[in-house]
Amino acid sequence: MPGIPTNYFLILSAILFTIGVCGVLTRRNGITIFMSIELMVNAVNLTFVAYARQFHSLHGLIFVFFVMAIAAAEAAVGLAIFIALYHHRDTIDVDEANLMHW
Amino acid sequence: MTWADTLLLLPELIAATGASILLIVPVLGGRARGHMAKWAMLALMAVTALAVIGSTYAVAGVQQTPTFRAMFAVDAFSVFFKLLFVVVIALVTLLSEDFLSEERYSTWEYYSLLAFALCGMMFMASGVSLITIYIGLELLALSSYILAGYYKNHEESTEAAMKYFILGTVSSAILLYGISLIYGVCGSMRLSTIAAALSTMLSNDALMFGIMLLAAGLCFKIAAVPFHVWTPDVYVGAPTPISAFLSTGSKAAAFAVFARVFYVAFPAFHLDWSNVLAAIAALSMIVGNLAAITQTNVKRMLAYSSISHAGYSLLGIIAMNEMGLRGILIYTMVYVFANLGIWATILMLRRHAYAGESVEDFRGLHKRAPFAAFSMVVFLLSLGGIPPTAGFIGKYFLFAAAVQAGFGWLAIVAVVMSAVSMFYYLRLVVAMYLEEGSGAETIYSPSLRFVTALSLTVTLVVGFIPELPIRQVIESSSHLVGRVVQR
């Protein structure tokens, strides 16, 4: 295949996914954690697109649209939960969420 | 896509349409009539159940009919689970009744979300492509996040929703990464095509990594160790009927997916993944049961007990034989009903939103509510796997399957851990029958009575006349097993 080899995309998406995982594990602000999760999802999208390009198949591309729609719905639900949390304690720091032992 | 295809989708279409209608009723002025929401929801469940049964006639005589370009199948396996889901949602509706009216939250949206969750669960049971399965799973998950935080004035509920949301979305992303790698190796997301591609393939790193990530995502949904940390907090913080739903319906749906994906798509690499899952199962049984012993909060105890039950059910997937699949189906059913009965008793003991929690609340229950105390004993024995109850039949199938497949050590761990689990189950029995004390007051409404009675009937009938449900389950699992044997 001409152009950039598929492996390059896969390595990039693996790096992005890892950055996302590190963000989730190290950040304490709810919104930043959520952004890291979005990064993980988009890294996966890149994998799908790279494979779809390699296979000349539409399946991977179409799945990416579904994933995007679901990520948008996830964002709506997540932000609503964080707002509700902010009402209770004026912070969305997840370490403060310790009513029940974690 | 033909007209007949659409008929097969009828149960899902009805559930989605019904959920949307429930959602707009309050906007159209139905908010004042909150008490009618329950009846609307029960009617919707009845219609959905009829549609599920009706859809089987559309495929009568055909073993399996994948439709929509092999993305969606109506077969005995999916029908079994769909009927179970409809019953679970109907019972959760009954459990929610008093709880909702007491707390003055909107009822219509609540039931609407439950109906959307049902729709997602049915897609999970019918999905034969990773796309369908993922979307069904997300529909269930998104509805569950909102439901867990439904009591937005309670800080615990919001906190539970936040924890569930963060860990849930991370696990979905991991699952999705697994799907993408499997797609990359096999060039397809259809389970049957994946199986065909794998049968001619040698083990490779990308594929094993993909399967492991997929398994990790699913293990989160069934709350297996080490992906279980969310379970106790969410079960304690969420509204109690929702905890009941998460520990029964949501888990059963995840098991349907787990069984279908691993039995249909990955039999070729059974040797590679079975050892990893065996370690997860053993850890779940050990950690779940040992942690449950030290709990004083009944909801937390049930959460750890449900972690251990995820471990038992995993035996059926690890074994990968006819017996194992039957074990999963029958054990899921048995576990669901025993658990719903226990949650009904907990709801009965509540004082405010979050009571009925400590073991002390159960003191002397047999004097105040003899029927509830008796049925509670039956449910606990069933969870422990003691013979005249249904739990024994389920565990028998699972353990025998593990032995058959050469996982004798795992079966031994399971038996020992079942014995350990009796310790904390019996602690509740002792509190109810032997300890004197006032405990919590009881509010035993007809709905709770009905849920308890139905769960008790199922638990005892399956325990005493196992042939009846087992024949159904054998028929239901035969076509999936047929594939395993072929390969």
Side-chain angles (χ1 to χ4, degrees), chain B residues 196-215:
Chain B
L198 293 188
S199 60
T200 58
M201 212 178 269
L202 287 174
S203 178
N204 66 66
D205 292 343
L207 178 72
M208 282 320 294
F209 196 44
I211 294 179
M212 283 304 117
L213 290 176
L214 184 68

Side-chain angles (χ1 to χ4, degrees), chain A:
Chain A
M1 183 184 291
I4 310 166
T6 308
N7 268 348
Y8 287 27
F9 291 108
L10 297 182
I11 292 167
L12 175 64
S13 84
I15 292 171
L16 288 176
F17 193 85
T18 317
I19 295 174
V21 172
C22 292
V24 171
L25 293 178
T26 57
R27 294 303 176 130
R28 300 279 52 104
N29 182 296
I31 301 288
T32 322
I33 291 180
F34 186 62
M35 282 163 59
S36 310
I37 295 170
E38 288 295 298
L39 190 62
M40 291 165 73
V41 173
N42 283 313
V44 175
N45 280 346
L46 183 61
T47 319
F48 272 116
V49 174
Y51 279 130
R53 173 172 165 274
Q54 186 188 13
F55 297 144
H56 297 290
S57 130
L58 278 178
H59 280 97
L61 296 178
I62 298 212
F63 195 18
V64 168
F65 281 106
F66 281 114
V67 173
M68 283 173 169
I70 288 170
E74 234 163 38
V77 171
L79 293 179
I81 290 173
F82 286 131
I83 289 172
L85 198 67
Y86 189 79
H87 277 302
H88 281 298
R89 57 185 84 157
D90 291 334
T91 174
I92 47 168
D93 192 318
V94 292
D95 279 351
E96 304 278 317
N98 50 11
L99 277 182
M100 299 162 283
H101 12 203
W102 184 224

Side-chain angles (χ1 to χ4, degrees), chain B residues 287-344:
Chain B
V287 173
N289 281 318
L290 293 185
I293 290 177
T294 62
Q295 303 303 322
T296 50
N297 181 320
V298 177
K299 285 188 192 172
R300 254 187 131 69
M301 193 195 84
L302 273 184
Y304 282 109
S305 133
S306 97
I307 292 167
S308 71
H309 286 284
Y312 300 134
S313 309
L314 272 178
L315 292 188
I317 290 160
I318 296 159
M320 194 98 196
N321 51 27
E322 219 172 319
M323 196 91 152
L325 190 51
R326 276 173 213 167
I328 295 174
L329 292 169
I330 209 155
Y331 197 71
T332 307
M333 182 174 82
V334 163
Y335 165 81
V336 158
F337 282 105
N339 246 23
L340 279 175
I342 292 177
W343 285 106

Side-chain angles (χ1 to χ4, degrees), chain B residues 8 36 87-88 107 109-110 131 135 153 168-169 193 267 276 329 350 354 365 368 370 392 398 424 433 454 460:
Chain B
L8 293 182
M36 280 169 61
V87 173
V88 168
T107 51
E109 285 93 341
Y110 178 90
I131 300 183
I135 291 168
N153 296 341
T169 42
T193 321
V276 181
L329 292 169
R350 81 202 176 282
Y354 287 94
L365 187 68
R368 284 171 290 146
F392 171 73
L398 288 174
Y424 58 85
Y433 279 89
L454 185 70
L460 289 178

